[in-house]
Amino acid sequence: SGTEEQTQHMIDAGVVPALGHLATMNLPRNYQNIRREAYWALSNITAGTEAQANAVLEALAAKLPAIMDAITHDEDVELRKEALVVFTNAFSTASWHHIDHLMETFQFVRVLCEVLRLCQMETIPVALEAIHRLLERAEQEGHLGRFIDALAEHDGFEMLGQLQSLRGGTDGPGSG
């Protein structure tokens, strides 16, 4: 994490493909921290400018299926969370074209619904934040209906309702 200028120098030096490679390597369990740190670095980049977030999504295009699989199936919950933050940040910064590509080509809404379905306390807040950011961007770009349809198609509203009922269905004492 550094300034936008420092981040851009790292992108220009070719660090993003290297980080993508590290993030998706098949490493022994005791070396998983390398993958987590690679995702953490990528998430810092996607929190930067639109061009920087786009650069990450473009550089990782070939690795997106493996990253989506890691988000929903990796045994390391912290790794899942860090991988998800890469996209959560990008939903605020990347161009709509890149976000739309994630939603259409890689069914990222389905991935978010799968994360909610897992009911892991470490990943639920990140998935909810990703949904929130996607809703905001979809509304800004005039595609809210399509995003809502995708959530419905993948049982997202049911999952949100189940999470609400697990929480107790209230916002605290005296709410109603």
Side-chain angles (χ1 to χ4, degrees), residues 50-92:
E50 179 178 319
Q52 291 168 344
N54 291 345
V56 169
L57 296 179
E58 290 166 9
L60 296 181
K63 298 196 178 286
L64 286 175
I67 295 169
M68 301 294 173
D69 187 60
I71 290 171
T72 55
H73 294 98
D74 201 276
E75 292 178 14
D76 185 334
V77 176
E78 287 299 315
L79 184 138
R80 286 180 180 193
K81 184 174 100 175
E82 291 298 335
L84 188 54
V85 171
V86 171
F87 299 98
T88 303
N89 289 343
F91 295 150
S92 294

Side-chain angles (χ1 to χ4, degrees), residues 6-7 15 28-29 33 47 56 79-81 89 140 149 156 169-170 174:
Q6 290 167 329
T7 300
V15 74
R29 185 174 292 206
N33 61 323
V56 169
L79 184 138
R80 286 180 180 193
K81 184 174 100 175
N89 289 343
Q140 289 171 3
D149 290 345
T170 66

Side-chain angles (χ1 to χ4, degrees), residues 5 32 109 128 136 154-155:
E5 184 178 90
Q32 290 303 309
V109 173
L128 291 173
E136 285 183 336
H154 298 291
D155 301 323

Side-chain angles (χ1 to χ4, degrees), residues 1 35-45 82-83 86 89:
S1 59
R35 292 180 63 211
R36 282 191 303 272
E37 293 295 322
Y39 281 122
W40 176 78
L42 290 166
S43 72
N44 280 326
I45 297 169
E82 291 298 335
V86 171
N89 289 343

Side-chain angles (χ1 to χ4, degrees), residues 109-110 112-114 116-117 128 131-132 135 143-166:
V109 173
R110 178 190 52 77
L112 291 171
C113 291
E114 286 181 31
L116 293 177
R117 196 171 286 110
L128 291 173
I131 290 170
H132 174 78
L135 279 169
H143 297 286
L144 186 58
R146 213 177 75 201
F147 177 71
I148 288 172
D149 290 345
L151 267 176
E153 178 184 341
H154 298 291
D155 301 323
F157 293 111
E158 289 81 7
M159 293 309 308
L160 293 169
Q162 288 176 12
L163 289 171
Q164 182 67 21
S165 68
L166 287 174

